[in-house]
Structure formats: structure tokens, C-alpha cells
Amino acid sequence: MPTELINALTDRLGARRVIIDPEAMIQHLTEDRGLFKGEAFAVVFPETVDEVSFVVRQAIKANVSIVPQGGHTGLVGGAIASRAIIIAMGRMNQIQSLDAVNSTMTVEAGCTLHDVQQAARDADRLFPLSLASEGSCQIGGNLSTNAGGVNVLRYGNARELALGLQVVLPDGRILTDLSGLRKNNTGYDLRDLFIGAEGTLGIITAATLKLFPLPRKKVTAFAGCKSAHDALALYDLLRCSLSDNLTAFEYLPRFGLDIVLKHADGTRDPLRDTHQSYVLIELTTPDSELNLADRLEGILADAFERDLVQDATVAASETQSAALWALREYMSEKQKLEGGSIKHDIAVPVSRVAEFIDVAGAACKTLLPGIRLCPFGHMGDGNLHFNISQPVGMDKSEFLAMWGQFNRVVHDVVADFGGSISAEHGIGMLKRDELARYKDPVALDVMRLIKQALDAKGLMNPGKVIPD
Amino acid sequence: MPTELINALTDRLGARRVIIDPEAMIQHLTEDRGLFKGEAFAVVFPETVDEVSFVVRQAIKANVSIVPQGGHTGLVGGAIASRAIIIAMGRMNQIQSLDAVNSTMTVEAGCTLHDVQQAARDADRLFPLSLASEGSCQIGGNLSTNAGGVNVLRYGNARELALGLQVVLPDGRILTDLSGLRKNNTGYDLRDLFIGAEGTLGIITAATLKLFPLPRKKVTAFAGCKSAHDALALYDLLRCSLSDNLTAFEYLPRFGLDIVLKHADGTRDPLRDTHQSYVLIELTTPDSELNLADRLEGILADAFERDLVQDATVAASETQSAALWALREYMSEKQKLEGGSIKHDIAVPVSRVAEFIDVAGAACKTLLPGIRLCPFGHMGDGNLHFNISQPVGMDKSEFLAMWGQFNRVVHDVVADFGGSISAEHGIGMLKRDELARYKDPVALDVMRLIKQALDAKGLMNPGKVIPD
């Protein structure tokens, strides 16, 4: 235990903001899926960027590593500590400013995503990042992991939504660019180096975010198709006609709908017949005079003529819209009730996503006949959660013991497609070995050079992202 | 003269692709504005990435620096050589592939911007980057300088339009990521490090670019306002109603319109009365069923009611639209005919652009009464070309001798507004001293650390971007 360090931190932050009691630390050391269990000398709760800088400088002096932690909702162990000081960002939760005409807001890293969304809405603007954990995840973590979600198709990943950052560097210095400029060609783009670096190059303490006009109209639809290929053709038709009015295009296989209908109370199949593939479509516009529902129905009629769509329903109310979204949102949770499931978060070029479902699906079935494929998610981004449910009646642990084998099969197909083995969730500790296997060695080496340049001591969130 | 190096290059590329004749090199050593004159041992014309890599490796061996050059249309001396090998990229000009459903194309760096635009259009897609030099500038240079232009409001800078790059690193290794993924969270964002680095961290040899649905409808309008403040309020009104259908919002002062009307044959004032401020508005949509003209006229009527707009005209034909655009596009060229002009390429938060015009304008008039202010450009991006024409009757060279003084006055106001001293054009050699003065020292130091990490020998486009 680095007593001197703990004393210095306690002197500055006060005992209530430096937790060393193992019981009190536990929620910062473990994570929901139970994949990792960390250990820490202390969890500290800074309230200002200067305090973050102080903690980092003190930790360096003591040669103790630092792990920044946001809402601790990550899925790859990126915020798990090992003999480190955890910097919990939740008390830096102020909305610092909002400029409606510039369409920006500046927020501290510890604001929850939900609070950021709400502050934007209160100013008649939209902050579009949206994902399942939005009630508890923090914007600093969203940026550090370049979070995705259901609105990427229209608005981009977290990266595209940040105009500037404030970062505490691995040496404790503070880098600040919160000016909210749309254009600024004065040197290297440092911002995007910290976004997606999972805290290994510094700690994001604040950000200036892009806002958008608040949508005034929304139309949600659910369509059944003969195949993922037809679903993809429907995507192209919608995108070319409606461009950025198309804000979500989510794919579900019949098996996915089946398990939701089976396990989620109050759900019902919105279409009369069964289809192999489904898509959830959402259009939005800030233009209150635009009749999106008519436009969508016209395009769906066209798609029906072309035999791309077998049946479709357009929500007539917010309640119906929510019911359609529920079919998609229950997917992860309800799959657990079908026994073991092995998961992949992959992306391929959008044009090849249907082909990927075929090829990777066939490869998995060769590995283990009887599996039930559940590839679902952000088809319009080329990003699928390529999940596999165990065969009915198989022993769950026996199935889960094949996790590595399925990873190999699926990720090899991803590599053949020029795809990504981590589209949304990042690398953390979980996928470092996979990264070593699939990433261009030149890219890995450039990553190491940058890490070494900014964090020569290797104390900033060590053991994450970069393979040993 | 490094004879051994030249011989090695000639052996590999052939004598016709290694120019050493001073006469033949001259166009690669000078630039249009005559601000810089470089010198080079040779200009080489590689045709493949392996040849670029070869040239870089040979230059390193000989300890000779390397200057990559695209269309050589830059305005800040970023492609000016000094005792170096110039790598001219123009022969790497192949459109490698286009994926319409993925909305991407992969192109070599030496393609002209115009050729890239055309190839997209041929596939019924839009590549939206558009700027004055598009006939001769090259996409590699556009990315290396993070070029802006007239469509940034809707589509972003060059940075936002690239999904992946191929880069020859300062050590000659090749980094390739041309997979065209919309989501990929597998390590640091190296792409954005090279974009905007002006060739100081490596040579971009190819890129995978984002495409968009081709607009099917366009509406152009020209409005007169009482002030830049009213023009800005009009921007906000349009943006909130029409969101991304608003693709251009360009500001012109009366003085700017006057000089265009005076010096450009065939132009005429589209409005009956004179106004202090003008805006050129363009709306586009890929949705052929959307009646944009009606929408725009409705919003303009609303703005008229609110006294934000004094008069406006909506183009009834492509000819009329082109005539309105000509008023904007002649601005730079025709200002030359009013004597000396001192230029600034600045950005501030969009919300403060009108206030900036007032404050910076007043400061300049204090410095030299009688000047004629001509701030024009991309109001919707907060980016103005803040140009100043000399007082009538003043000696031109006497006025131009004040360039540094005006820079100081204008850039000090920019700094007060949290703005950028180079919104679109970059740093190159021209603005290195200004960068040293205005950039956060921590940011400058991080830039130096990265440069040192990737280019320890300092041979890759030396003397650019990073202050001494």
C-alpha cells in the first residue's frame, strides 16, 4: 500500500473522496458480466480538472498506475484496475455551458449520457448519442470508448459528436480545447487521439459536443423480408431517397423475434405471417412540415413491388413506435433465457453485411450443428452483434467452453471481409489477444510509439488496448 | 547533390520519372502567390505505394528530406521544398474501387478532387468536398490539409469525409486501412493523425472516402439583411427548420458585392435596394418529392415578418442559381482589382461570427482609418475570410507593409473569441510563427512528441506546421 500517496490524496481531496475500504471499493473493482475482478489501492473522486491533474502527478511520483473510470458500464474490462488508483469521474458532472446557435455544449466528463441528452433537449436541441446504458454511462467514457449505438447511421459515433476535449495527460499536464469551432486547421488533430484510446493516453475531463436541431417528427416502421439480402436492398433504397432522414435501420432475424415474443411479456408479432428477416426503420426530421409517414409508405410500397419487402407496418402512435422498438431492445436480455450465448461485436462494409451473415453463419454451423444464430443490430452501419445461442438441450458450460473456437471462426470470416472484430465495444483487456492476431502489425507499432511518446512510464490505464 | 540517391531513384523509377532539370522543376518549387520559392534535388513521380515507400527509404538512407506534393495549390507553403526530394503524387491517380451500397470509394492520393467528384457522380453518389481549386488540387493534399470549402456546413471538412487511409510512414513502412468500415473500435485513431498533418507525419497515398446520396433537388437564394447579426439569426432559423437540407450559408458584405458588380462582367445586383449584409443560401435534398422551394419561401416569409430579412430572391433556374453563386465566387479574384488586400482565414463559434465582424472590424479601422472591410465566406461554419482592402488612394506597398500589424490586431481578437487563426488553409510555413504565438503550449508540446515518435530524424516535410 503506497501510504505516502494515499496521504497526499487524502490531504487534498479529503477522506470522503479517497476510498480505501475494500467493501466500499467493490463496485469499482468488479463488473456486471463477472469476467474481471480488479484491485486498487484507492478510489478517488475528483471534482475539478486540477484535482485530476493533482492525482495523476502524485501517482506518477509514487510510481503507481492510474485507471480512469466513468459509469463502469464497459463490456471489455477497460476500467478494471490492478494495483492502481482508480479515478472515478462521477463527481465532475456539471453541464458547463450550452450555445444553441453554435449547436454545442460543454460538459464535464462525469455527466451521465442521459443528463447530457436532457440538457440538450431542454435547449431545444438534440444530442444524438443513444445506447442501452445511457442512464448510468458517462460521456467521458462514451468518448474514451468512441461509443456507438442506434443513431450512428445518421449522426456518427461518439467521435463525430465531439468538437473538442479537455484531457489530463499521463504526465499530469492539462490539454484544453473547448472552443467549439467547426473549422480549425492549426496543427495535429489531438482530439481524435484521445477519443477511443480507452484512457490509455490520458483522462478526458470535459468535452465540447455537437448538437443538432431537435427532431419534430418521427416515423417508426417494422418490415418483414425474405432474407438479409432483401433487407439490405431496402436499406439502400431508403438511404438514397431519404438520406439523413433515415436515422435507424436495425436488423433482427426470425430467431431473435421468436425469443423476444416468447420471453418478453406484452410483446406481440406486429406482422401476420412469419418472415426470415426483419428490420426496424426509423425516420426523423426537424421539419415539422415534412410528411415523413407518407414518404415512407410510398417507398415501402415501391419495395413491396420490387419484392424486397413481404409485409410492413408503420407505427400510428408513440405507443406503437415504442412497442416496435421493444422488440429490438429486448434482444440482448431475452437471449440469456435461451441458455448460453456466445457474442461478437463485428462490423463489415455495409454492402457485405448480408453476405457476412450467410458465410459466418455457415462456418459456425459447421463448427457445431444445432446452434441457433442470432445476428442482430445496426445493419445500416455494417455492425452486427453476431450472437450464437447454444443448441437446445446442450450443456451450457460445454457450449460456453467453445467461446474461443467460435471467436476464431467468426473473426476469421470478419478478417476475410476486411471487417472489425470490435465495432462498438473497444478492446480493453478482453480483446487484446484478438487485436494482436488481427490488427496490422504496422498499426500496432505506431500505436506503441504514440503510447510510449505520451506515457513513457506506462502508468496510464496499463494493460488495456495495446497487446503485450 | 546526393548523387547516389538520385541514381538509386532513377534506377527504380526510370529517368523520366526523376526530374533534376531546374527548368522542369520550377513549377514544383514556386507557388502562385509568389510568397515562397523552394529548391529541390529532384522531383520524383511514383506510380505505386511501393515506389513511394522505396523513395522514402532511399532518402532516409541518404539523410535527405522529403516533401510530398499534391496539386500544389496550397496557400501556406506546405509543399515548398528546401534541399529535398519532392514526391509529386499526380501519377497515382487511379480510382481503385467504388462501393455504392457502402457509400464509399477508394482512390489514390493523386486523383484531382474534380475526378473524385465525377467518379462519385457517375455512380449516382455525391462526394461533397468542393472548393475553388478542385480542378487541380488532389485528394491527398485535401486530406493532408483537412480542406474545407462551401459544403462543410452539411458534410464536414475533409476529415469527416475519410473512413480510412493508406500512408507511407516517415520510416518507409506502409500503413493500410482502406476497409471502408463505419464502425471500428480496435485501437487508436491513426487516420485522423495524418489528416491535417500537412505531410509532416507521412505521405497519404490512398484513401477510402465517404459518399452520400446524390441530391435530386437544389434551391438557391440570395437575401439582403440589415446586419451580420440578422444574417446569423436567419442562419439559425433555417438550420433549425431544415437541418441538413441547408447545405450552404455564405456571407457577403455590401462592399464585397459592390466590387464584384463593378469588376465582373455580366453580374448584376439581384435585389432592388442595397443592404448592409447579404447571404447566399443553398438547400439540397436527394428526395425528389420534397418541395424545397416552397419550404424556403415559407421560412424567408417568416424571417421577413421577424424583420431578419429585408429582401430576398429565390433562383428560378439553374442559370439564375449560377448567377447568384458567381457573386460569391468572384469575391477573392475581384478584390485584387481594388488594390492591396490583407487576408485572414479565421473561425470563431458560429454564434459569435457577427459580433466578431463588429469587433475585429472596429479594431482594424482604429489601426488604419479608411480601410474597406471585406469579411466574407462560410458564416454557417463560423469561418470568415476576413479580408481588408486598402484605403482608396493609399500606396499599395505601404498598405501591404502593414500585413503583420493587421494580423496581430485580427488574430488577437480571434484569440479573445476562442477562435482559430487558420480555419481552412493550414499552417505550412506561413503561419508557424503565428501558431507559436497563439496555440496552447501543451498542445504544441504534444505535437512535438508525436512528430518525434514517428519521424525521429525529422526528414518528413521539415519546417512545416510545428514551430521551431
Side-chain angles (χ1 to χ4, degrees):
Chain A
M1 171 69 81
T3 314
E4 212 174 310
L5 169 60
I6 302 297
N7 289 344
L9 300 180
T10 308
D11 281 354
R12 172 79 184 252
L13 302 185
R16 283 177 39 179
R17 294 201 279 125
V18 180
I19 292 180
I20 53 168
D21 172 37
E23 206 51 40
M25 289 201 287
I26 195 94
Q27 59 172 309
H28 297 278
L29 300 175
T30 55
E31 31 91 78
D32 280 352
R33 298 207 286 190
L35 292 172
F36 302 100
K37 167 126 177 50
E39 39 165 10
F41 298 123
V43 181
V44 303
F45 298 84
E47 290 178 349
T48 66
V49 62
D50 288 332
E51 287 184 353
V52 175
S53 168
F54 175 84
V55 173
V56 170
R57 286 176 202 267
Q58 293 299 318
I60 294 165
K61 217 158 72 176
N63 208 36
V64 166
S65 60
I66 301 139
V67 175
Q69 200 171 83
H72 201 23
T73 59
L75 299 173
V76 293
I80 294 295
S82 171
R83 299 182 62 77
I85 301 292
I86 292 174
I87 301 187
M89 296 298 294
R91 291 176 81 110
M92 289 187 65
N93 60 357
Q94 300 301 302
I95 306 288
Q96 294 186 329
S97 63
L98 190 148
D99 181 340
V101 175
N102 196 42
S103 286
T104 52
M105 67 194 293
T106 297
V107 302
E108 290 184 330
C111 292
T112 66
L113 175 53
H114 176 268
D115 285 350
V116 173
Q117 294 166 340
Q118 189 57 49
R121 218 162 12 231
D122 290 346
D124 218 28
R125 292 291 186 277
L126 173 73
F127 182 67
L129 192 67
S130 176
L131 37 106
S133 60
E134 62 197 28
S136 50
C137 66
Q138 296 172 11
I139 191 68
N142 297 146
L143 291 166
S144 289
T145 57
N146 187 27
V150 293
N151 287 330
V152 173
L153 180 60
R154 161 66 180 87
Y155 297 100
N157 295 289
R159 180 181 307 291
E160 280 82 50
L161 302 175
L163 285 173
L165 301 179
Q166 183 184 64
V167 177
V168 173
L169 298 175
D171 62 10
R173 287 187 297 175
I174 300 167
L175 180 71
T176 302
D177 173 16
L178 298 172
S179 48
L181 304 177
R182 301 278 159 175
K183 282 181 170 173
N184 185 15
N185 279 341
T186 57
Y188 302 162
D189 174 22
L190 303 179
R191 171 190 69 202
D192 286 304
L193 205 50
F194 300 104
I195 296 174
E198 304 185 29
T200 61
L201 297 177
I203 303 172
I204 296 173
T205 51
T208 299
L209 305 171
K210 275 188 206 168
L211 304 178
F212 294 83
L214 198 60
R216 304 287 172 194
K217 286 195 169 182
K218 180 176 86 170
V219 184
T220 313
F222 195 80
C225 302
K226 284 199 309 296
S227 69
H229 294 271
D230 284 0
L232 184 61
L234 174 62
Y235 160 75
D236 190 48
L237 189 64
L238 285 163
R239 166 90 178 138
C240 289
S241 306
L242 298 171
S243 189
D244 280 347
N245 292 135
L246 179 64
T247 42
F249 191 89
E250 298 282 313
Y251 177 80
L252 296 78
R254 178 69 209 184
F255 172 66
L257 184 62
D258 276 340
I259 56 181
V260 170
L261 296 175
K262 179 174 163 193
H263 297 293
D265 290 345
T267 55
R268 61 172 205 80
D269 190 335
L271 304 180
R272 202 182 48 191
D273 300 323
T274 66
H275 306 278
Q276 195 205 302
S277 298
Y278 296 87
V279 287
L280 178 70
I281 300 161
E282 191 154 281
L283 312 183
T284 64
T285 178
D287 186 350
S288 52
E289 301 198 10
L290 182 57
N291 192 332
L292 277 182
D294 277 7
R295 288 295 291 127
L296 179 58
E297 279 173 11
I299 295 167
L300 286 174
D302 181 19
F304 191 81
E305 289 275 301
R306 299 191 202 189
D307 198 29
L308 299 178
V309 166
Q310 303 308 308
D311 194 8
T313 180
V314 177
S317 67
E318 183 55 42
T319 310
Q320 285 185 15
S321 168
L324 295 178
W325 270 105
L327 300 174
R328 162 67 182 82
E329 286 164 355
Y330 275 127
M331 193 76 59
S332 289
E333 182 188 331
K334 297 309 173 191
Q335 206 187 355
K336 291 178 194 160
L337 304 175
E338 288 290 320
S341 66
I342 294 175
K343 302 182 177 197
H344 305 84
D345 168 37
I346 65 93
V348 295
V350 181
S351 52
R352 301 191 69 191
V353 68
E355 186 189 352
F356 177 85
I357 292 173
D358 294 344
V359 174
C364 289
K365 283 185 170 166
T366 302
L367 178 62
L368 183 66
I371 53 163
R372 294 163 299 161
L373 296 168
C374 192
F376 71 94
H378 320 298
M379 180 177 253
D381 308 321
N383 172 206
L384 293 175
H385 300 299
F386 195 86
N387 292 2
I388 304 162
S389 279
Q390 67 170 75
V392 177
M394 185 177 180
D395 178 69
K396 183 176 170 180
S397 59
E398 201 180 317
F399 175 69
L400 290 179
M402 295 181 75
W403 194 295
Q405 284 172 273
F406 276 103
N407 277 189
R408 185 64 53 249
V409 164
V410 172
H411 289 167
D412 279 354
V413 178
V414 168
D416 285 345
F417 276 67
S420 171
I421 60 161
S422 190
E424 294 191 314
H425 299 163
I427 300 299
M429 296 169 74
L430 186 67
K431 292 187 180 176
R432 283 205 307 161
D433 292 343
E434 289 297 276
L435 193 70
R437 185 178 186 96
Y438 292 104
K439 187 93 173 175
D440 174 8
V442 177
L444 280 178
D445 190 55
V446 174
M447 284 168 56
R448 286 194 185 95
L449 289 171
I450 291 169
K451 171 73 174 173
Q452 174 68 24
L454 268 63
D455 183 22
K457 291 192 160 187
L459 294 176
M460 189 54 78
N461 207 11
K464 317 292 159 52
V465 184
I466 297 182
D468 288 326
Chain B
M1 171 69 84
T3 315
E4 211 173 311
L5 169 59
I6 303 298
N7 288 344
L9 300 180
T10 308
D11 280 354
R12 172 80 183 251
L13 302 185
R16 285 178 37 180
R17 293 202 278 127
V18 181
I19 292 179
I20 54 169
D21 172 37
E23 206 49 42
M25 287 200 290
I26 196 93
Q27 67 180 114
H28 297 279
L29 300 176
T30 57
E31 32 91 77
D32 280 352
R33 298 206 287 189
L35 292 173
F36 301 100
K37 167 126 178 50
E39 40 165 10
F41 298 123
V43 182
V44 301
F45 298 85
E47 289 179 349
T48 65
V49 62
D50 287 332
E51 286 183 354
V52 175
S53 168
F54 175 83
V55 173
V56 170
R57 284 176 202 267
Q58 293 299 317
I60 294 165
K61 216 158 73 178
N63 208 35
V64 166
S65 61
I66 302 140
V67 176
Q69 202 172 82
H72 201 21
T73 59
L75 299 172
V76 293
I80 294 295
S82 171
R83 298 183 62 76
I85 301 292
I86 293 175
I87 301 187
M89 296 298 294
R91 292 176 80 112
M92 288 188 66
N93 61 358
Q94 301 299 304
I95 306 287
Q96 293 184 330
S97 62
L98 191 148
D99 181 338
V101 175
N102 196 42
S103 287
T104 51
M105 67 194 294
T106 297
V107 303
E108 290 184 330
C111 293
T112 67
L113 176 52
H114 175 268
D115 285 351
V116 173
Q117 294 166 341
Q118 189 58 49
R121 218 159 14 230
D122 290 347
D124 218 29
R125 291 292 186 277
L126 173 73
F127 181 67
L129 192 68
S130 176
L131 37 106
S133 61
E134 61 196 28
S136 49
C137 67
Q138 296 171 11
I139 190 70
N142 296 145
L143 291 166
S144 289
T145 58
N146 188 26
V150 293
N151 287 330
V152 173
L153 179 61
R154 162 65 180 87
Y155 297 101
N157 295 288
R159 180 181 307 288
E160 280 83 50
L161 303 175
L163 285 174
L165 301 179
Q166 183 185 63
V167 177
V168 173
L169 298 175
D171 62 9
R173 287 185 298 174
I174 301 167
L175 181 69
T176 303
D177 172 16
L178 298 172
S179 48
L181 302 177
R182 302 277 159 175
K183 283 181 170 173
N184 185 13
N185 280 341
T186 57
Y188 301 162
D189 175 21
L190 303 179
R191 172 190 69 203
D192 286 304
L193 204 52
F194 300 104
I195 295 174
E198 305 186 27
T200 63
L201 296 177
I203 304 172
I204 296 174
T205 51
T208 299
L209 306 171
K210 275 189 207 170
L211 304 178
F212 294 83
L214 198 60
R216 304 287 173 195
K217 286 196 170 182
K218 181 176 83 171
V219 185
T220 314
F222 195 80
C225 301
K226 283 200 309 297
S227 70
H229 294 270
D230 284 0
L232 183 61
L234 174 62
Y235 160 76
D236 191 48
L237 189 64
L238 285 163
R239 166 93 177 135
C240 288
S241 306
L242 298 170
S243 189
D244 280 346
N245 292 135
L246 178 65
T247 42
F249 192 89
E250 298 282 313
Y251 177 81
L252 296 79
R254 178 68 208 184
F255 172 67
L257 185 61
D258 276 340
I259 57 181
V260 169
L261 297 175
K262 180 174 162 194
H263 297 293
D265 290 345
T267 55
R268 61 172 207 81
D269 191 335
L271 303 180
R272 201 182 49 191
D273 300 322
T274 65
H275 307 280
Q276 194 205 304
S277 297
Y278 296 88
V279 288
L280 178 70
I281 300 160
E282 191 154 282
L283 312 183
T284 63
T285 177
D287 187 349
S288 51
E289 300 197 11
L290 183 57
N291 193 331
L292 277 182
D294 277 6
R295 287 296 291 127
L296 180 58
E297 279 172 12
I299 296 168
L300 286 173
D302 181 19
F304 191 79
E305 290 275 303
R306 299 191 201 189
D307 198 30
L308 299 177
V309 167
Q310 303 308 309
D311 194 8
T313 180
V314 176
S317 66
E318 182 55 44
T319 310
Q320 286 184 15
S321 167
L324 295 178
W325 269 105
L327 300 174
R328 163 67 182 82
E329 285 164 354
Y330 275 127
M331 192 76 58
S332 290
E333 181 188 331
K334 298 308 174 192
Q335 207 187 354
K336 291 178 193 160
L337 303 175
E338 288 291 321
S341 66
I342 294 175
K343 303 181 177 198
H344 306 84
D345 168 37
I346 66 91
V348 296
V350 180
S351 52
R352 302 192 69 191
V353 68
E355 186 189 351
F356 178 85
I357 291 172
D358 294 344
V359 175
C364 289
K365 282 184 171 165
T366 302
L367 178 61
L368 183 66
I371 51 162
R372 295 164 297 161
L373 295 168
C374 193
F376 71 94
H378 320 298
M379 181 177 252
D381 308 322
N383 172 206
L384 293 176
H385 300 299
F386 194 86
N387 292 3
I388 303 161
S389 279
Q390 66 170 75
V392 176
M394 184 176 181
D395 178 67
K396 181 176 172 179
S397 59
E398 202 180 315
F399 174 70
L400 291 179
M402 297 182 73
W403 194 295
Q405 285 172 271
F406 275 105
N407 276 188
R408 185 63 52 247
V409 165
V410 172
H411 290 166
D412 278 354
V413 178
V414 168
D416 285 346
F417 277 67
S420 171
I421 60 161
S422 191
E424 291 192 317
H425 299 163
I427 300 299
M429 296 167 74
L430 186 67
K431 293 188 180 173
R432 281 205 307 160
D433 293 343
E434 290 295 276
L435 192 70
R437 186 178 186 93
Y438 291 105
K439 187 93 174 176
D440 174 8
V442 178
L444 281 177
D445 190 56
V446 174
M447 285 168 56
R448 285 194 185 95
L449 289 172
I450 291 168
K451 171 73 174 174
Q452 175 67 24
L454 269 62
D455 182 23
K457 291 191 160 189
L459 294 176
M460 188 55 76
N461 207 12
K464 317 293 160 50
V465 183
I466 296 181
D468 288 328

